[in-house]
Amino acid sequence: SARLDEVWWLVSPQNPLKPVQGMSPFLQRLASARDVSQSYGWIKVLDFEQKKALKFTAESLSLLVKRCPRADLIWIMGADNLIQFPQWERAYFISRLLPIIVVNRPYFRFRALASAGAALLSSHRKRPAHNLTRKTGGWAFIHAASDPSSSTAIRDRTA
């Protein structure tokens, strides 16, 4: 367990690596995320990226680090995203900016751990999730968490 106080779910206006066609409108995705998270008081769904007109995760995280200097922020991504992580804008910068937790997703564990994204992170010390802080840096892979839900599946269920 990472022992997090809160999880901030940043709903992206548009993932630059996904096609616009077939993507639900932003407000629908935001409402869907709020519906899914409403029974979990520790999850805060934010439209931060939309309000600030941010296009890339690196921009968002840089701004959050600047605005929340005392917060011990950790970036969380699914194992499916680890596979494509090197394609992200400024992926190396992101990997150095904050510790990262990669959450297992069904059918992705081995591909993710053998991916170029894992290789990019491997220059950091891999740590238990509960030992990640901005001071220690590093990354963790949470094997036990294996939620098959995807944002697409969640949107389909709540639509």
Side-chain angles (χ1 to χ4, degrees), residues 54-153:
L54 302 170
K55 190 173 181 180
F56 299 108
T57 299
E59 296 172 319
S60 303
L61 296 180
S62 293
L63 189 54
L64 284 172
V65 165
K66 186 177 180 179
R67 290 204 170 170
C68 307
R70 294 187 183 141
D72 208 3
L73 301 172
I74 297 173
W75 177 249
I76 302 171
M77 74 169 110
D80 51 331
N81 281 316
L82 181 59
I83 294 169
Q84 64 172 345
F85 186 56
Q87 298 169 6
W88 290 21
E89 182 78 16
R90 300 180 67 201
Y92 185 81
F93 169 79
I94 294 168
S95 75
R96 298 297 187 270
L97 182 63
L98 294 174
I100 296 174
I101 291 176
V102 180
V103 179
N104 187 29
R105 299 287 299 276
Y107 318 112
F108 285 98
R109 174 185 299 168
F110 298 113
R111 284 191 349 210
L113 289 172
S115 71
L120 187 143
L121 294 181
S122 69
S123 62
H124 297 317
R125 184 166 177 206
K126 194 169 179 187
R127 302 177 179 276
H130 66 272
N131 285 342
L132 289 176
T133 67
R134 291 216 8 230
K135 287 183 182 178
T136 64
W139 71 291
F141 190 95
I142 300 180
H143 293 271
S146 189
D147 188 337
S149 300
S150 67
S151 58
T152 303

Side-chain angles (χ1 to χ4, degrees), residues 11 41 50 54 69 109 113 155 157:
V11 178
Q50 175 76 9
L54 302 170
R109 174 185 299 168
L113 289 172
R155 284 191 301 275
R157 278 198 311 264

